[in-house]
Amino acid sequence: MSSRNCGTIGRMNKANTKTKKNEKSSVRHTRAIQRERRIHQPACPPPEEFEKELTRLVYPAALAQQETYRQLRLRARILTLPVMVALILSMIWRQVGGICELTRLVQSEALLWIPVLQVTQQAISERLATLPAVLLQGIFYDVLPQLEARWPARHRPRPPEIAWAQAHYTALWVADGSTLDALVRKMGLLRQAPTHPLAGRITALLNLTSRLPGHVWYQADAQAHDQGHWPEILKVLTAGALVIFDLGYTNFQRFRELTAAQVTFITRAKNNLAYKESQTLLRTPQVHDVLVWIGQGATRQQVRLVQVLYHGTWRRYLTNELDPQRLPPAYVVALYAQRWRVEDAFSLVKRLLGLAYFWSGSQNAIELQIWGTWLLYAVLIDLTDQTAEALHLPFADISIEMVYRSLYYYSQAHQRGEATDILSYYVAHAKPLGLVKRKRKPDGSAILDAILALTSKPTLNL
């Protein structure tokens, strides 16, 4: 195996090796984002073609929530649920800096499916604080199945480890949590706060095949542990699925529950893991694959410990799949490397779609922004997948950020009469738009080949 491949593999889990002591605070970066967002002009509206697609997906789902709206005994008013959904999505997509700017916007131009409205800043602020966030959450979960249904019909190359896993498991999930950024203390009751409070914490269960969020959970306590959502995660996982998670979810009791539910898991093993070897399945100078016992009493169970030497460092993984024929060591390592896709999702919703900046300190407004942002993220992922198919490239080769930013250039070309279809325009201008990522690292197949080379060496005589 080349030193280049070794270095790449050694960096796959680099974030997990950093200690909290060495981690840099993102507060200064967050402050910069907040200051910049408050002063810049709103972005241009999305192209008409994209607006129509967003309307076709979201508007019926908003109308479907009207019955829930009535059950909550919310009275009719100008700022109805469909109107508020259009305002929230426009505010996120167009990077509007605040409710004051949004008020000027809605008073001067149509936004998505709503016409120009004469409403006050106070009315919008109060509506954001009182419109139940569960309504926008319901819209989010109504739209997701429509986007998931589109994925299997598309044809584009897939990473080899993902293609292999799809043939062996009914679903592929990645679970992780992320702390939201700080709130601005100039808002409401936060003026009296001694420090900038964090907005809370989100946990996501990401579909590894489609890259779409399957489930998202929010809690206001930013200090809450990731494992607080284990009950919800277990409730939605089905038999035959594979779920990947990091060290923060290590819980022997939950491991037993996953096994009982016939759900396979892959995670990293802690450095101080206490275990007792029971059987050696493979032992080479670079790969150790053994069955071990972990836990005590009611949590005692047998799992598989896979250890692979990467660039001079041993990486250790746990899985409850005890048969190496059903889950070879190479795929344990390669699939865990795909866990980073959920980190990419958090980065996109925070930095690209603005979930690092909150318009209001109201708990309800925060939740409305969270659900609106994840909804737009899902629509953006669908557009990126369409772009990958049109370019005949793997999804991972397409820059989601540039798909988002290039809508502006398509809109300008459409106004000049030079383009009539987003995907055709993207195909014709893929290189100047930067839609295809630069090749800076070996692709997934190269990494998998390197791991397969490690695990295919003969077993030592013990």
Side-chain angles (χ1 to χ4, degrees):
M1 184 175 62
S2 70
S3 59
R4 184 184 180 188
N5 282 341
C6 286
T8 300
I9 296 174
R11 290 190 297 270
M12 285 193 297
N13 295 301
K14 183 178 180 180
N16 292 329
T17 64
K18 293 181 179 179
T19 63
K20 291 185 178 180
K21 183 178 179 181
N22 294 328
E23 290 179 353
K24 294 183 179 180
S25 171
S26 64
V27 172
R28 181 178 299 176
H29 180 59
T30 301
R31 296 278 78 73
I33 291 175
Q34 292 173 343
R35 286 193 296 270
E36 194 274 338
R37 180 62 60 86
R38 285 199 300 271
I39 62 175
H40 79 58
Q41 286 291 103
C44 294
E48 181 181 355
E49 184 180 345
F50 186 81
E51 280 196 350
K52 288 181 178 178
E53 175 65 5
L54 197 58
T55 300
R56 192 186 70 79
L57 282 169
V58 179
Y59 186 64
L63 293 178
Q65 289 293 317
Q66 292 286 49
E67 180 58 33
T68 305
Y69 185 92
R70 287 188 290 269
Q71 290 175 1
L72 294 172
R73 298 182 179 180
L74 300 171
R75 64 185 178 88
R77 54 177 71 190
I78 294 177
L79 295 175
T80 62
L81 176 61
V83 170
M84 287 303 299
V85 171
L87 290 180
I88 292 168
L89 296 184
S90 297
M91 198 168 185
I92 296 169
W93 190 267
R94 299 184 61 176
Q95 302 177 3
V96 178
I99 298 173
C100 181
E101 189 68 35
L102 178 64
T103 305
R104 287 193 286 267
L105 206 59
V106 75
Q107 290 176 350
S108 60
E109 62 180 275
L111 300 176
L112 294 177
W113 52 81
I114 62 173
V116 173
L117 294 176
Q118 296 304 315
V119 294
T120 65
Q121 179 181 345
Q122 182 182 4
I124 295 177
S125 297
E126 291 180 356
R127 204 70 172 123
L128 286 171
T130 58
L131 181 69
V134 67
L135 296 171
L136 193 51
Q137 181 184 12
I139 294 172
F140 169 71
Y141 282 115
D142 283 348
V143 171
L144 274 182
Q146 300 178 56
L147 301 178
E148 282 285 3
R150 298 176 177 185
W151 191 90
R154 297 187 184 128
H155 302 283
R156 58 266 179 265
R158 293 170 295 171
E161 60 269 35
I162 299 297
W164 179 89
Q166 279 188 278
H168 292 80
Y169 298 97
T170 58
L172 306 178
W173 298 106
V174 185
D176 203 5
S178 180
T179 301
L180 296 174
D181 290 77
L183 298 170
V184 178
R185 281 188 292 171
K186 292 182 179 180
M187 301 181 294
L189 297 175
L190 297 180
R191 292 188 183 97
Q192 307 302 322
T195 60
H196 294 279
L198 298 176
R201 190 166 180 80
I202 50 176
T203 297
L205 194 63
L206 190 77
N207 188 325
L208 193 53
T209 55
S210 66
R211 301 287 188 90
L212 291 168
H215 299 271
V216 178
W217 297 278
Y218 168 75
Q219 50 190 338
D221 182 7
Q223 304 302 320
H225 200 280
D226 286 336
Q227 296 195 27
H229 285 295
W230 258 127
E232 290 90 346
I233 295 173
L234 287 165
K235 190 178 298 183
V236 299
L237 294 176
T238 56
L242 171 69
V243 61
I244 304 167
F245 46 85
D246 68 3
L247 292 171
Y249 289 87
T250 299
N251 185 310
F252 293 169
Q253 178 58 40
R254 300 305 184 186
F255 290 178
R256 288 182 63 90
E257 293 175 18
L258 287 169
T259 303
Q262 300 179 41
V263 174
T264 303
F265 70 80
I266 300 175
T267 186
R268 286 283 299 276
K270 291 186 175 182
N271 292 332
N272 61 350
L273 176 71
Y275 62 90
K276 182 178 180 181
E277 291 191 20
S278 61
Q279 182 181 349
T280 298
L281 304 174
L282 174 68
R283 189 177 295 273
T284 74
Q286 294 173 303
V287 180
H288 298 170
D289 189 359
V290 297
L291 298 181
V292 300
W293 289 96
I294 60 173
Q296 295 180 348
T299 64
R300 190 170 187 267
Q301 59 196 294
Q302 192 174 44
V303 296
R304 193 160 137 235
L305 175 63
V306 177
Q307 303 177 80
V308 182
L309 183 62
Y310 291 159
H311 201 53
T313 302
W314 285 95
R315 306 294 182 183
R316 311 196 307 163
Y317 307 87
L318 289 178
T319 177
N320 59 344
E321 175 51 73
L322 306 183
D323 187 351
Q325 300 300 318
R326 290 174 55 85
L327 181 56
Y331 288 101
V332 171
V333 180
L335 286 169
Y336 185 84
Q338 290 288 336
R339 190 199 68 81
W340 198 253
R341 303 291 76 78
V342 71
E343 302 288 357
D344 293 339
F346 287 140
S347 177
L348 287 168
V349 297
K350 287 183 177 182
R351 307 308 175 200
L352 184 63
L353 297 180
L355 203 55
Y357 171 77
F358 293 90
W359 324 306
S360 171
S362 161
Q363 190 66 47
N364 190 76
I366 291 171
E367 293 186 44
L368 286 172
Q369 185 174 346
I370 288 171
W371 295 116
T373 304
W374 278 105
L375 175 57
L376 285 174
Y377 167 82
V379 175
L380 179 59
I381 289 297
D382 184 71
L383 178 59
T384 305
D385 198 40
Q386 293 180 60
T387 304
E389 182 185 36
L391 292 171
H392 308 291
L393 291 172
F395 181 98
D397 287 0
I398 307 299
S399 169
I400 302 172
E401 179 175 353
M402 295 314 299
V403 168
Y404 168 77
R405 300 193 185 283
S406 296
L407 285 173
Y408 166 80
Y409 298 102
Y410 166 75
S411 181
Q412 298 300 306
H414 180 71
Q415 292 179 17
R416 296 192 300 267
E418 300 172 359
T420 58
D421 176 73
I422 293 176
L423 293 179
S424 299
Y425 178 79
Y426 277 5
V427 170
H429 300 84
K431 186 173 181 178
L433 291 175
L435 296 176
V436 182
K437 296 177 182 177
R438 296 178 182 178
K439 294 291 185 181
R440 297 178 178 177
K441 299 178 181 180
D443 59 19
S445 60
I447 293 175
L448 181 61
D449 289 344
I451 298 169
L452 286 169
L454 284 176
T455 58
S456 63
K457 294 186 178 181
T459 305
L460 295 178
N461 294 323
L462 301 176

